[in-house]
């Protein structure tokens, strides 16, 4: 473990988390994306705005990891980040979980597409509880077999950008 590097950059890391926390505009604790923030820009309806399961699972995991790092180097994990970690988990489960899997994005409303990356990360990172893990994995293997696509069902053709339609 390279704790010297972490200790040296500790306050910069905390500032990076504070910036990330500022990326939720309506105080719902979920990170909102802007244009050119992820692959979702290729979905016309999304228009590079809104919230994705992938980004929010990564935000939760980064907070979880930072809390563990703080324990390792005997530093206090800031209370506002601890509160945010708890709130983001609760909000992800409230807003993205549809009873079978985490929906892939929210922009004005929730879109119930199974997005493989975010759902797998929820399982691997220990975010999803036992029942959710079971549902996600059953949904994935029941829908895709053993070679999952990026999302299911496919986005409507009119939602795909021109570059997606070329391939």
């Amino acid at each position: 473990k390279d704790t010297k590097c972490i200790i040296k950059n500790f306050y910069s890391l905390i500032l990076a988390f504070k910036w990330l926390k500022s990326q939720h505009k309506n105080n719902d604790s979920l990170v909102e994306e802007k244009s050119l923030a992820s692959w979702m820009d290729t979905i016309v309806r999304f228009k590079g705005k809104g919230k994705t399961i992938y980004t929010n699972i990564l935000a939760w995991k980064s907070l979880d990891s930072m809390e563990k790092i703080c324990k390792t180097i005997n530093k206090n994990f800031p209370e506002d980040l601890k509160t945010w970690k708890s709130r983001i988990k609760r909000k992800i489960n409230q807003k993205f979980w549809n009873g079978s899997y985490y929906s892939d994005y929210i922009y004005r409303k929730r879109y119930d597409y199974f997005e493989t990356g975010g759902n797998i990360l929820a399982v691997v990172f220990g975010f999803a509880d036992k029942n959710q893990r079971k549902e996600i994995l059953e949904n994935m293997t029941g829908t895709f077999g053993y070679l999952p696509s990026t999302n299911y069902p496919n986005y409507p053709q009119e939602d795909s950008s021109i570059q997606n339609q070329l391939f």
Side-chain angles (χ1 to χ4, degrees):
K1 297 178 184 177
D2 186 5
T3 56
K4 288 179 188 175
C5 179
I6 293 170
I7 291 168
K8 179 182 172 192
N9 295 294
F10 180 76
Y11 293 104
S12 295
L13 290 168
I14 295 300
L15 286 175
F17 280 101
K18 302 259 183 193
W19 174 85
L20 183 62
K21 185 175 180 242
S22 75
Q23 297 308 297
H24 61 90
K25 294 189 181 351
N26 58 6
N27 208 26
D28 69 355
S29 296
L30 297 171
V31 177
E32 295 183 33
E33 294 188 8
K34 296 177 180 152
S35 294
L36 305 176
S38 74
W39 70 270
M40 290 295 286
D41 286 330
T42 63
I43 308 305
V44 174
R45 183 183 312 160
F46 185 69
K47 297 180 183 174
K49 300 174 186 174
K51 303 162 187 148
T52 66
I53 188 60
Y54 185 83
T55 297
N56 279 282
I57 289 290
L58 288 175
W60 174 85
K61 179 58 178 172
S62 64
L63 288 161
D64 186 58
S65 296
M66 190 63 191
E67 185 173 30
K68 290 173 183 166
I69 287 169
C70 287
K71 288 178 185 168
T72 300
I73 63 171
N74 294 317
K75 296 270 187 184
N76 289 329
F77 186 55
E79 279 303 314
D80 63 326
L81 296 181
K82 195 179 291 188
T83 300
W84 183 34
K85 178 187 165 199
S86 168
R87 286 191 73 206
I88 196 170
K89 182 168 186 163
R90 186 174 67 252
K91 291 294 185 173
I92 289 170
N93 279 309
Q94 284 174 355
K95 297 197 178 228
F96 283 96
W97 184 252
N98 68 18
S100 298
Y101 54 85
Y102 291 103
S103 298
D104 66 342
Y105 70 101
I106 299 169
Y107 177 61
R108 297 189 178 132
K109 69 174 192 162
R110 183 178 76 194
Y111 291 88
D112 286 330
Y113 292 93
F114 182 98
E115 193 272 321
T116 304
N119 278 279
I120 289 299
L121 291 178
V123 170
V124 171
F125 291 162
F127 179 88
D129 67 29
K130 183 179 176 180
N131 292 331
Q132 289 170 323
R133 286 191 302 268
K134 182 176 181 262
E135 286 289 330
I136 290 167
L137 295 174
E138 282 178 4
N139 238 292
M140 198 168 99
T141 56
T143 302
F144 306 121
Y146 292 102
L147 294 172
S149 60
T150 56
N151 64 283
Y152 183 85
N154 290 332
Y155 296 118
Q157 188 70 20
E158 65 270 11
D159 279 358
S160 293
S161 64
I162 189 68
Q163 66 264 32
N164 282 354
Q165 294 177 27
L166 294 174
F167 298 103

